[in-house]
Amino acid sequence: MGRTIIFLALLFTHLSLAGCDSKPVGSAPPAPSVTVARPLQKMITEWDEYTGRFVAVERVEVRARVSGFVDLVDFNEGQMVKQGDRLFVIDPRPYKLAVEQAEADLERAKAKLELASLDVQRAAPLVRGNTITEREFDTRKANERDAAGQVGSAEAALKQAELNLEWTEVRAPISGRISDRRIDAGNLVTGGPTGATLLTVIVSIDPIHFAFDGSEADFLHYMRLAAAGARPSSRDVQNPVAVRLADEAEFKHRGQMNFVDNVLNTRTGTIRGRAVFENKDGFLTPGFFGRLRLFGGEREALLIPDSAIASDQSRKIVFTVADDGTVGTKLIEPGPIVEGLRVIRSGLAPTDRIVIDGLQRARPGQKVTPEDGKIEAVAPAAAAR
């Protein structure tokens, strides 16, 4: 009897404790809340951005054309020079002597030609009177032609000697900014078409080029626009561009496209482009790094915040919320930033509700509590920075 009473007491205690810890059947934690909004749809002027560097339109390595000792360095390093300015003087004395020698050889050749011509003139009546043979007359005419050839050869040698003498003064082949001298006065330099001594380098300043590489996808996009008549090709029209330097917030340097390469680089999947800029003050220097904006046409576009885009390996996705609160994903193709928002080129519809805040709480296939938000563009002046 006592054991039965003790068992019933323990059972009653256990059931009481179990009843205290129980929860209502079927209860679950509330769905996490996220902020959703539809993409902003508006007409935009699309600009694509690329990284590149300024390069000189012309770059010339100044080398010696004749050999000799340098007598004079006639420029200030780093200064602007004009085409034709004298830069170096190579000892001209041996070349002056060569000119004099060539002049003397020419006079000697002319004298021989004059004598040979007189011989032909004297022989003409003699051959008609059979005083000399036809063979002798032909020999004298051949001697005249040979003497005339020697005169031509001497004249060419004189011109070459005069040209070598002219080359002893090394002059600027283009206008631009000159580098430092690579040789000092008193040193021996070697001239000629191969192995010539490098004296200095000159780069042109105005105008100046900006070179960059664009992706294959962007190139295809531009080709499609040109085919549809929405934007002319930069091969046919100088489309406008703008560049900002590394320390600048705005794209204030204005230029035009002037070249698109004829092949894509198969290793990098890019194509080379080039723009040209005026540089009258010489501020833009070859080698400067910059960001270039290229006109991509005007069109109706969908824009979303850059923070609403997530990465799935190499792909870009956004989270969408259905009417019943279920989270889904959409694969998108992002474009450039316009007015502070990212242009979506494909993969998104104007009616889609995308998660713009709380991405860390959104899981595909799960339900969330959507709260309405709004996507707003940034003022153009602020977006340009």
Side-chain angles (χ1 to χ4, degrees):
M1 185 67 178
R3 290 181 179 179
T4 302
I5 294 172
I6 293 172
F7 174 75
L8 292 174
L10 292 173
L11 179 61
F12 177 77
T13 303
H14 175 73
L15 292 174
S16 299
L17 292 174
C20 293
D21 293 337
S22 64
K23 295 181 180 178
V25 178
S27 64
S33 63
V34 296
T35 304
V36 298
R38 288 184 171 83
L40 178 63
Q41 188 174 9
K42 65 177 299 186
M43 184 65 70
I44 63 166
T45 298
E46 188 171 347
W47 297 88
D48 294 319
E49 293 191 13
Y50 302 96
T51 299
R53 291 190 180 276
F54 284 98
V55 294
V57 174
E58 296 177 293
R59 181 183 184 275
V60 177
E61 292 183 346
V62 181
R63 296 181 181 272
R65 293 188 175 185
V66 293
S67 301
F69 288 92
V70 177
D71 278 354
L72 178 66
V73 178
D74 196 18
F75 66 91
N76 295 323
E77 297 172 318
Q79 73 174 22
M80 294 294 296
V81 296
K82 294 181 180 180
Q83 185 178 14
D85 285 352
R86 190 176 68 175
L87 305 178
F88 295 87
V89 176
I90 298 172
D91 186 3
R93 292 173 295 178
Y95 298 98
K96 288 181 179 179
L97 294 176
V99 169
E100 294 173 359
Q101 179 67 46
E103 290 173 344
D105 291 342
L106 177 59
E107 288 300 319
R108 184 164 51 251
K110 286 181 177 179
K112 290 182 178 180
L113 174 60
E114 183 179 358
L115 180 59
S117 298
L118 291 175
D119 285 344
V120 171
Q121 292 174 10
R122 294 189 187 100
L126 297 178
V127 73
R128 288 193 296 267
N130 294 323
T131 305
I132 62 173
T133 64
E134 289 284 347
R135 178 181 177 82
E136 176 66 21
F137 184 66
D138 291 341
T139 300
R140 294 188 182 189
K141 287 195 296 184
N143 290 338
E144 182 185 29
R145 290 196 298 271
D146 180 66
Q150 291 180 10
V151 169
S153 177
E155 288 176 343
L158 175 59
K159 290 179 180 179
Q160 182 62 60
E162 291 173 340
L163 188 58
N164 288 339
L165 178 60
E166 180 183 337
W167 283 343
T168 60
E169 290 190 351
V170 181
R171 297 184 177 274
I174 63 171
S175 298
R177 190 173 299 280
I178 196 167
S179 183
D180 60 335
R181 62 177 181 265
R182 308 297 169 85
I183 201 78
D184 294 320
N187 284 284
L188 177 65
V189 296
T190 302
T194 59
T197 304
L198 176 63
L199 304 178
T200 188
V201 176
I202 302 175
V203 294
S204 62
I205 297 298
D206 182 33
I208 192 168
H209 283 158
F210 185 90
F212 63 95
D213 292 321
S215 69
E216 182 177 351
D218 286 348
F219 182 60
L220 281 171
H221 174 63
Y222 295 143
M223 295 288 285
R224 302 291 185 196
L225 289 176
R231 172 191 179 275
S233 170
S234 292
R235 287 184 171 138
D236 304 323
V237 175
Q238 292 187 331
N239 285 314
V241 297
V243 163
R244 65 177 176 88
L245 301 179
D247 65 340
E248 294 175 341
E250 298 182 1
F251 293 85
K252 63 181 184 179
H253 304 282
R254 308 291 176 178
Q256 300 85 31
M257 288 291 298
N258 76 332
F259 170 76
V260 178
D261 211 347
N262 57 350
V263 295
L264 274 86
N265 188 319
T266 56
R267 292 180 299 174
T268 62
T270 59
I271 189 166
R272 187 163 54 99
R274 191 181 68 202
V276 62
F277 294 78
E278 287 188 358
N279 191 29
K280 296 188 181 302
D281 59 358
F283 179 77
L284 299 175
T285 302
F288 268 180
F289 165 88
R291 289 282 293 175
L292 176 138
R293 289 199 318 175
L294 173 60
F295 175 66
E298 294 184 350
R299 65 184 182 91
E300 190 82 17
L302 299 179
L303 298 93
I304 66 173
D306 218 16
S307 59
I309 300 175
S311 296
D312 180 12
Q313 295 182 351
S314 61
R315 304 182 303 173
K316 298 298 182 181
I317 61 172
V318 295
F319 293 104
T320 60
V321 178
D323 293 338
D324 62 354
T326 303
V327 176
T329 61
K330 279 199 168 183
L331 181 64
I332 62 167
E333 180 190 353
I337 293 286
V338 174
E339 298 183 14
L341 299 175
R342 179 69 65 179
V343 174
I344 304 302
R345 286 178 172 162
S346 64
L348 206 58
T351 56
D352 288 330
R353 293 195 305 168
I354 66 169
V355 178
I356 61 174
D357 191 18
L359 267 69
Q360 68 277 11
R361 297 188 292 273
R363 295 290 182 271
Q366 296 182 357
K367 290 193 174 184
V368 294
T369 303
E371 297 179 358
D372 290 334
K374 188 177 182 181
I375 298 175
E376 295 180 338
V378 181
R385 293 182 173 86

